[in-house]
């Protein structure tokens, strides 16, 4: 655990927090409103809450918790499709654990499992492939989720299935892409974000270049960061330095893992297996152009959407939840109309309450410094 | 003539009430649990009241069912769990556990060798905890009707007159003590399922805690709250205490003892050791003045002992964590089971 502890050293954290406190006044001198910094990725959000990092930051900096939780943003229609596939005869439907509770329009996968569907939790797509080998009489479907981070492993799994001729393995592809989504946030009219913390594990695959447009075109500084508390504090400190020195660039805090050029072999596998979808539907954000990938026609025999008859019905998000405004930083989670009332981790209405990485779930679970949470939660039990 | 049981697997015949069942019960199970109260094989055990009333003024009574997968894991098996789980539930009232019952629900096809190992574990665990299994029941169900073997144990113990240990007694100023590293059992069972493919040494912490409870009570005459941190882990127990007593409990992250291998498993899977199950860990809340005495008492039992937090007035009903960075966050109850995160 030495590896992790190095990045959780309280003294170093205090030193970084002190640096931020010292430099911030320079940044704030000619500003009228707080500095809004979005951490795009749910992994970052989770660390920020688990380690209480917001409490270390001076007034004037506000963290906006972005839409980068691939489980949270899965639209209900896709969950319905997943359940429909799982209920087909002879299917073993495999999924990462945290997708189990995501609500569809009628059921979650957890409820569908209780209902008799053969749904199994796996830890990687290769586990699903192993099931396909063990059960040649069954059709094993893997619920592929995640940003570019998890795409190479699913792509390589498909290539392996092709190599072995495992005709009973397929992918229900719901991979999503980071860049178009950041662009959608930047293009939204109510947006007030000043700078970004970019997900280090996405950069590990795609490199630094895809984030250039944020600094270049939109004039917002962005720092690629790792997932330990010191990573995030250092990234914030690097961002504040950019503001103070009137720089605007893509910086990489996570060079120990994410090389500037990314992972060419991983990218090659992604491009071989996947192609961009014209658009993909996000829970809470609506449809975003080119924000998802699907399998190329050459891999149709491994594409669950081609093999199975999926309903593919678009289910509108509940109107009451204001997820879109929360992820753009327009309102705070607890300012949403249903936060802590109709929408709780037990009964999530909106995307951001679904997984522990969602901003609202994080506030609900960890957020002691929001006085209204307790009152709201009291309402929820009435 | 002694009945010998030589069948290699359990079949429906062994639950049908005939000779096969008698062979199973008398030829296989009884020898493991042999004791005076069980031996007459009446429909009920007949417990002399005199020796019970000499120990205290209230009877503690509890039941628990055990359905673990896999049945055997490093550090224990479903048999050790079934004895220790019920012993510990009794002990957390301050009671001296005395008698247990044992209900076996067996799926047809269970290997007799495996059943023998589990019964052997139960015998050993019962001896270690100083309890006797005095009554039992066996059912065999069709394949698919159960997952290999389920065990229910119920137990009684006697609560000494001077013990008043309740969740609602947590008081401001009290300290929170645990008797060892957290999460070993949960991590060991997860790893024993074999689908993590992690090459780490993890053992369940399964053990009876009645000796520790007696030692604690000898060191501190007024233990306020006690619970064994099984399903839901220490975080869940502390939430129960905080809600019941309408106080807040503040943990200190630096002081939470977790083994490096367990921390590693948690990091990889996105789990939190505070919510992992333990089977040999108690959480005690007691007045601060008894800290040294109770820590020494637990050490004398061969356990570690750690002060992990304190009871404070507010926010009432909540558990807080002071992080290594000095900030605070809420430690809430889990919604369902902990599910591994995707990335």
């Amino acid at each position: 655990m030495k590896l992790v502890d190095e990045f959780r050293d309280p003294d170093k954290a205090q030193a970084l927090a002190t640096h931020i406190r010292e430099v911030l006044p320079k940044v704030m001198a000619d500003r009228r409103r707080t500095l809004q910094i979005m951490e795009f990725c749910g992994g970052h959000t989770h660390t920020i809450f688990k380690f209480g990092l917001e409490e270390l930051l001076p007034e004037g900096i506000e963290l906006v918790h972005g839409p980068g939780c691939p489980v949270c943003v899965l639209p209900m229609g896709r969950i319905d499709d997943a359940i429909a596939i799982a209920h087909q005869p002879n299917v073993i439907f495999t999924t990462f654990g945290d997708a189990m509770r995501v609500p569809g329009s009628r059921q979650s996968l957890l409820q569908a499992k209780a209902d008799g569907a053969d749904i199994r939790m796996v830890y990687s797509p290769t586990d699903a492939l192993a099931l396909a080998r063990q059960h040649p009489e069954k059709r094993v479907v893997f619920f592929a989720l995640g940003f570019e981070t998890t795409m190479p492993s699913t792509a390589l799994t498909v290539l392996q299935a092709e190599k072995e001729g495992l005709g009973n393995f397929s992918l229900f592809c719901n991979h999503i892409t980071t860049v178009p989504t950041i662009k959608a946030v930047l293009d939204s009219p109510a947006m007030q974000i000043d700078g970004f913390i970019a997900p280090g594990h996405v950069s590990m695959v795609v490199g630094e270049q895809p984030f250039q447009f944020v600094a270049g075109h939109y004039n917002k500084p962005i720092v690629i960061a790792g997932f330990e508390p010191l990573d995030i504090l250092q990234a914030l400190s690097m961002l504040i330095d950019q503001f103070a020195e009137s720089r605007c660039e893509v910086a990489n805090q996570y060079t120990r893992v994410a090389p500037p050029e990314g992972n060419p072999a991983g990218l090659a596998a992604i491009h071989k297996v996947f192609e961009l979808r014209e658009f993909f539907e996000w829970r809470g954000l609506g449809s975003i152009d080119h924000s998802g990938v699907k399998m190329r026609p050459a891999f149709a025999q491994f594409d669950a959407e081609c093999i199975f008859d999926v309903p593919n019905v678009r289910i509108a998000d509940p109107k009451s939840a204001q997820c879109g405004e929360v992820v753009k930083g327009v309102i705070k989670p607890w300012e949403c109309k249903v936060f802590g009332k109709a929408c709780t981790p037990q009964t999530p209405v909106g995307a951001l309450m679904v997984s522990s990485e969602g901003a609202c779930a994080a506030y609900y679970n960890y957020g002691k410094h929001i006085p209204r949470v307790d009152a709201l939660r009291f309402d929820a039990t009435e | 003539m002694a009945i010998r049981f030589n069948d290699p697997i359990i079949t429906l015949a062994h639950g049908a009430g005939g000779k096969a069942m008698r062979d199973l019960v008398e030829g296989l199970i009884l020898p493991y649990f042999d004791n005076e109260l069980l031996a007459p094989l009446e429909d009920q055990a007949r417990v002399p009241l005199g020796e019970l009333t000499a120990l205290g003024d209230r009877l503690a009574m509890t039941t628990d069912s055990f359905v673990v997968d896999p049945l055997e894991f490093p550090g224990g098996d479903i048999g050790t769990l079934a004895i220790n789980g019920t012993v510990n539930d009794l002990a957390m009232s301050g009671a001296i556990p005395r008698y247990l019952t044992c209900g076996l629900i067996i799926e047809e096809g269970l290997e007799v060798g495996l059943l023998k190992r589990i019964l052997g574990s139960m015998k050993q665990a019962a001896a270690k905890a100083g309890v006797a299994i005095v009554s039992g029941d066996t059912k065999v169900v069709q394949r698919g009707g159960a997952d290999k073997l389920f065990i229910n144990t119920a137990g009684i113990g006697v609560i000494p007159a001077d013990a008043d240990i309740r969740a609602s007694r947590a008081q401001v100023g009290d300290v929170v003590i645990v008797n060892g590293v957290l999460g070993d059992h949960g991590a060991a069972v997860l790893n024993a399922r074999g689908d993590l493919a992690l090459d780490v040494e993890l053992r369940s912490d399964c053990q009876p805690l009645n000796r520790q409870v007696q030692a604690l009570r000898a060191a501190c005459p007024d233990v306020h709250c006690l619970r064994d941190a099984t399903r839901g882990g220490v975080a869940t127990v502390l939430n129960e205490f905080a809600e019941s007593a309408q106080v807040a409990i503040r943990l200190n992250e630096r002081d939470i003892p977790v083994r490096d291998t367990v921390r590693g498993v948690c990091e990889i899977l996105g789990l939190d050791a505070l919510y992992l199950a333990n089977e040999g860990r108690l959480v005690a809340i007691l007045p601060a003045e008894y800290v040294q005495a109770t820590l020494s008492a637990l050490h004398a039992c061969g356990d570690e002992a750690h002060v992990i937090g304190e009871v404070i007035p507010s926010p009432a009903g909540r558990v807080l964590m002071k992080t290594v960075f000095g900030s605070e966050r809420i430690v809430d109850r889990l919604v369902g089971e902990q599910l591994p995160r995707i990335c």
Side-chain angles (χ1 to χ4, degrees), chain A residues 111-297:
Chain A
Q111 288 161 328
K113 180 175 190 290
D115 226 11
D118 189 350
I119 298 173
R120 304 189 193 183
M121 223 162 71
V122 292
Y123 297 90
S124 88
T126 52
D127 294 347
L129 201 62
L131 276 173
R133 285 187 205 108
Q134 280 162 27
H135 297 282
E137 77 289 358
K138 296 275 191 182
R139 302 186 287 178
V140 177
V141 184
F142 177 68
F143 196 14
L145 295 172
F147 286 96
E148 288 86 345
T149 328
T150 51
M151 269 188 221
S153 63
T154 29
L156 289 167
T157 306
V158 170
L159 293 172
Q160 183 65 27
E162 185 187 40
K163 198 170 144 194
E164 292 181 33
L166 281 173
N168 65 331
F169 175 82
S170 64
L171 213 64
F172 180 43
C173 181
N174 289 272
H175 280 301
I176 44 184
T177 55
T178 312
V179 167
T181 314
I182 293 184
K183 193 169 172 301
V185 170
L186 282 163
D187 284 338
S188 79
M191 209 282 310
Q192 299 191 326
I193 314 281
D194 298 291
F196 286 85
I197 293 180
H201 51 10
V202 170
S203 269
M204 177 180 81
V205 177
V206 305
E208 295 174 6
Q209 198 281 329
F211 295 110
Q212 286 295 346
F213 78 99
V214 181
H217 184 74
Y218 288 91
N219 215 22
K220 309 282 182 194
I222 180 165
V223 177
I224 295 159
F227 294 86
E228 290 300 321
L230 287 191
D231 288 327
I232 293 173
L233 286 172
Q234 191 183 19
L236 282 169
S237 158
M238 289 165 76
L239 269 177
I240 303 293
D241 285 345
Q242 288 203 37
F243 289 119
E245 295 158 21
S246 301
R247 286 183 288 125
C248 178
E249 54 203 41
V250 180
N252 188 349
Q253 179 278 335
Y254 203 39
T255 47
R256 70 177 188 277
V257 171
E261 71 283 6
N263 174 357
L267 282 172
I270 291 175
H271 290 307
K272 187 158 186 191
V273 175
F274 300 119
E275 63 186 15
L276 283 178
R277 289 179 196 267
E278 245 177 87
F279 56 85
F280 193 75
E281 181 78 22
W282 290 55
R283 196 187 287 240
L285 288 179
S287 178
I288 301 176
D289 288 352
H290 301 129
S291 67
V293 298
K294 60 182 177 186
M295 296 180 79
R296 290 185 184 277

Side-chain angles (χ1 to χ4, degrees), chain B residues 109 128 219 268-269 275 290:
Chain B
K128 191 172 174 197
I268 290 168
L269 298 177
Y275 296 94
Y290 295 105

Side-chain angles (χ1 to χ4, degrees), chain A residues 7-10 13-14 51 53 56 229-230, chain B residues 253 323-327:
Chain A
F7 301 98
R8 294 181 185 178
D9 181 331
Q14 286 305 338
F51 292 89
L53 298 187
L56 302 184
L230 287 191
Chain B
E253 191 170 23
T323 70
V324 288
F325 301 136
S327 52

